[in-house]
Amino acid sequence: MHHESPIRRRKTRQIHVGKVAIGGDAPISVQSMTNTETRDIAATVAQIRRLEAVGADIVRISVPSMDAAEAFKTIRAQVETPLVADIHFDHRIALQVMEDGVDGLRINPGNIGSLDKTRLVVEMARDKGIPIRIGVNAGSLEKDIQEKYGEPTPEALVESALRHVSILDELNFHDVKISVKASDIFLAVSAYRLLSEKVDYPLHLGITEAGGLRSGTVKSAIGLGLLLRDGIGDTIRVSLAADPVEEIRVGFDILKSLHLRQKGINLIACPSCSRQEFDVITTINALEARLEDILEPMDISVIGCVVNGIGEAKEADIGLAGGDKRSILYYRGKQVDRVENSDIVDVLEKRIRAEIAERQAARHEVEHHLPVLQSGSGHGE
């Protein structure tokens, strides 16, 4: 059931945040931001590792002070994920974190200090191959732009973004990505659409301050979904007043739903009705909890009856159609077993993990033998 997405993405330049390519033909990356006190090194490292475990491509850290910059140095040494430092007003912080191995900066050149200070930051970023994200928010537009437009508008956000871009252009720095975020979906979507017509830089998408886990997920899915469907967006962050781990999960769920990127289990499940032969909701909740560590893409169908269950099961990697006392198990499109309804969760988890192990073994076999085949091909073997 791994369908090709009909979406044709906007063509952009490509930049790299550490090992992660953004823009061009690179997959859309998913990132989050720590919400710990950065100077609390143990808590911040622990949170980054949790984000790594669920597949975060990039993690952003707020670095508001030189003390936080000193903590960043220790944090950087303890984690593998590419890190972006979020910095405002003080160019010295940017210089410090670049010395200490940051992979990207989120700054606005217009508020980092004088042009000479900005030039120092840009020159070091260029020397070290560190990209800069220009991040414009509707809630923090420059005073003159607020006065010009009277209120945040798409044109106001884009004018602000282009103002910062022009500073970097003057310094001949183009390793840039841009965001124009707002908490209002229509404002954000219109601003991104307008910006996408004016630049070829990769765009970082987000509906800022979207809300709590449920409401923020809905707003982000709608806003980001509209833009992604237009082919706009090269990296995303779902902003939730919740555990940052949920931001990564929701981000990948949005991309999976649009067939833009597959990571982790794609659970297809019915909402359940009186036809269900087992407790679908409890089963799905249990499976989600047990399988949250899995990053291997896989479609798993769990339907409570045979009305839609068989058709869905045949299309999935592993599927189950509810039956009286015993449900029908499908594997790669074929019926392979009947499962006691009381054992569904255990049996599915075992099957899924066995399938993952088989895939990994097959990949290892290919990787192990490929160099041998290549070296032998020149000897008439």
Side-chain angles (χ1 to χ4, degrees), residues 10-28:
R10 161 181 168 267
K11 294 189 181 301
T12 74
R13 311 173 183 227
Q14 186 171 94
I15 65 171
H16 287 80
V17 178
K19 62 187 178 184
V20 177
I22 296 174
D25 59 355
I28 296 171

Side-chain angles (χ1 to χ4, degrees), residues 147-302:
E147 291 175 351
K148 176 180 178 178
Y149 290 95
E151 62 181 3
T153 65
E155 294 77 13
L157 268 67
V158 170
E159 182 173 327
S160 176
L162 294 179
R163 176 180 295 181
H164 294 294
V165 168
S166 69
I167 296 172
L168 297 182
D169 282 344
E170 289 174 13
L171 296 172
N172 196 31
F173 186 87
H174 307 292
D175 204 3
V176 173
K177 59 180 174 174
I178 311 173
S179 64
V180 281
K181 297 183 180 180
S183 58
D184 180 85
I185 291 173
F186 295 105
L187 174 57
V189 169
S190 295
Y192 275 111
R193 285 174 173 165
L194 180 60
L195 181 63
S196 72
E197 297 171 355
K198 295 181 178 294
V199 298
D200 66 350
Y201 289 116
L203 300 184
H204 167 89
L205 301 189
I207 304 299
T208 193
E209 298 148 359
L213 179 57
R214 184 186 53 134
S215 60
T217 294
V218 171
K219 288 172 69 175
S220 296
I222 294 170
L224 300 187
L226 286 168
L227 290 167
L228 292 167
R229 181 62 184 88
D230 286 348
I232 297 170
D234 305 284
T235 180
I236 66 172
R237 190 257 172 123
V238 175
S239 299
L240 301 175
D243 186 338
V245 166
E246 298 300 333
E247 297 185 350
I248 299 299
R249 290 173 175 156
V250 172
F252 277 112
D253 284 343
I254 291 171
L255 296 182
K256 280 190 286 189
S257 69
L258 294 169
H259 304 305
L260 285 168
R261 190 168 173 198
Q262 298 296 324
K263 180 172 281 193
I265 301 296
N266 177 34
L267 272 174
I268 299 122
C270 65
S272 77
C273 68
S274 62
R275 291 195 305 266
Q276 68 179 348
E277 300 288 358
F278 60 90
D279 188 336
V280 175
I281 293 173
T282 299
T283 299
I284 292 300
N285 288 337
L287 285 170
E288 285 183 334
R290 290 196 192 188
L291 304 175
E292 65 180 9
D293 64 303
I294 294 175
L295 301 182
E296 180 84 21
M298 191 180 302
D299 290 326
I300 307 298
S301 174
V302 181

Side-chain angles (χ1 to χ4, degrees), residues 37-42 44-45 48 61 68 70-80 83:
E37 164 57 64
T38 302
R39 292 173 298 177
D40 186 340
I41 294 170
T44 304
V45 167
I48 293 170
I61 301 178
E70 188 64 29
F72 175 87
K73 180 178 181 179
T74 306
I75 293 164
R76 170 69 285 174
Q78 296 185 34
V79 299
E80 298 295 327
L83 299 180

